[in-house]
Amino acid sequence: MKGPDWLKNNTMLFARQVALARDWWLTPSCTLCGERVSQGQAFCDGCERSLPLLDAGCAVCATRLAPGSHSLICGECQQRPPRYAGAHAAFRYAAPVDRLVQGAKYNARFDWLKILAARLLERVRARAGEVDAIVPVPLHRSRLRSRGYNQALELARPIARSLHLPLYLGIERVRPTPPQTAMTLADRRRNVRNAFAASREFTGLRVAIVDDVMTSGATVNAVANCLRKAGAASVEAWIVAR
């Protein structure tokens, strides 16, 4: 018959195994590769280094400047100044951030949206004193109904809360617009022309538009134009990936 020491030792062994299993399941892992990371980290050191941070670009739209350019503003913004004063983005839209953005946008990865919002918050925190309100780029009600959520709103909520700024849903997408992936710049502009309308006044407010991706800037510019018509004193764009 096994004595109390055996029972005690085996009980302690079992408790240690349970503790190890618990620690394994509760220890966070890298969002991209699954490697174990410290509490509070979204990425391991290797994946962190792989993130395509936005380097120097156009002072207005943040696009990459042509090699050898001596101007701080790209040719497009010089020829057709946008209705927003500046764009501030956390990343370039490239691997592996593109996978996070697509998963967050189309696969309801709210955990990824939380991570992307936190990185955008780091990028724009210094802008908080220059802004009075935050406005997410809206979805048309038909797309919102099919998707079930607006990724721009899910990004904007924690940022507004952290910066103690009001979040306004005062811009509506009044007509559905087809995806712009394969469109030319001119087609993108036509696609979003008169697609947005203000449901409230923004008189005198300095507004930051929040969205996940900015490609040509046509959508952000259309929302900015709508805000300016509704009285906004200034508009800037806060974007996860450019």
Side-chain angles (χ1 to χ4, degrees):
M1 182 176 179
K2 296 180 173 66
D5 288 342
W6 177 90
L7 180 60
K8 179 181 178 181
N9 290 339
N10 278 272
T11 300
M12 292 174 62
L13 177 61
F14 178 72
R16 282 198 297 270
Q17 290 173 335
V18 169
L20 287 172
R22 181 194 61 213
D23 290 345
W24 172 261
W25 285 108
L26 294 181
T27 300
S29 58
C30 174
T31 303
L32 291 168
C33 72
E35 181 178 320
R36 298 291 164 173
V37 296
S38 301
Q39 287 288 347
Q41 280 187 279
F43 307 105
C44 67
D45 292 343
C47 288
E48 182 71 38
R49 288 192 294 270
S50 76
L51 297 177
L53 300 179
L54 190 69
D55 47 15
C58 172
V60 178
C61 73
T63 193
R64 282 183 163 179
L65 294 171
S69 174
H70 298 293
S71 174
L72 296 177
I73 302 176
C74 70
E76 180 66 27
C77 287
Q78 290 183 49
Q79 294 174 21
R80 299 183 59 144
R83 296 288 281 165
Y84 56 88
H88 308 274
F91 302 106
R92 288 185 291 108
Y93 188 66
V97 167
D98 55 353
R99 178 161 65 91
L100 296 178
V101 170
Q102 292 294 317
K105 189 171 188 173
Y106 298 117
N107 298 324
R109 290 300 305 261
F110 290 94
D111 53 335
W112 291 1
L113 279 167
K114 183 178 178 181
I115 292 168
L116 294 173
R119 298 306 290 258
L120 179 55
L121 175 62
E122 292 176 9
R123 175 69 178 85
V124 301
R125 188 180 293 277
R127 300 293 308 163
E130 307 300 319
V131 169
D132 301 313
I134 292 176
V135 171
V137 172
L139 291 180
H140 187 263
R141 60 182 176 275
S142 60
R143 188 165 297 175
L144 181 60
R145 188 163 50 246
S146 64
R147 187 176 298 172
Y149 64 98
N150 177 3
Q151 73 281 354
L153 175 57
E154 299 304 322
L155 290 167
R157 276 194 179 116
I159 293 174
R161 185 164 53 247
S162 295
L163 298 181
H164 305 291
L165 289 170
L167 178 64
Y168 290 151
L169 305 181
I171 299 295
E172 298 177 6
R173 194 182 290 248
V174 293
R175 64 176 178 82
T177 53
Q180 302 188 137
T181 306
M183 293 185 183
T184 65
L185 177 56
D187 288 340
R188 287 170 184 251
R189 287 175 177 149
R190 282 191 291 270
N191 189 45
V192 294
R193 187 175 298 153
N194 300 320
F196 301 96
S199 58
R200 57 157 292 162
E201 290 188 358
F202 289 87
T203 305
L205 293 179
R206 300 169 299 171
V207 181
I209 301 169
V210 171
D211 204 5
D212 55 347
V213 178
M214 179 173 162
T215 306
S216 67
T219 298
V220 167
N221 196 52
V223 175
N225 186 52
C226 185
L227 285 165
R228 295 302 300 271
K229 288 181 177 180
S234 65
V235 180
E236 59 186 65
W238 294 355
I239 311 294
V240 171
R242 178 71 165 98

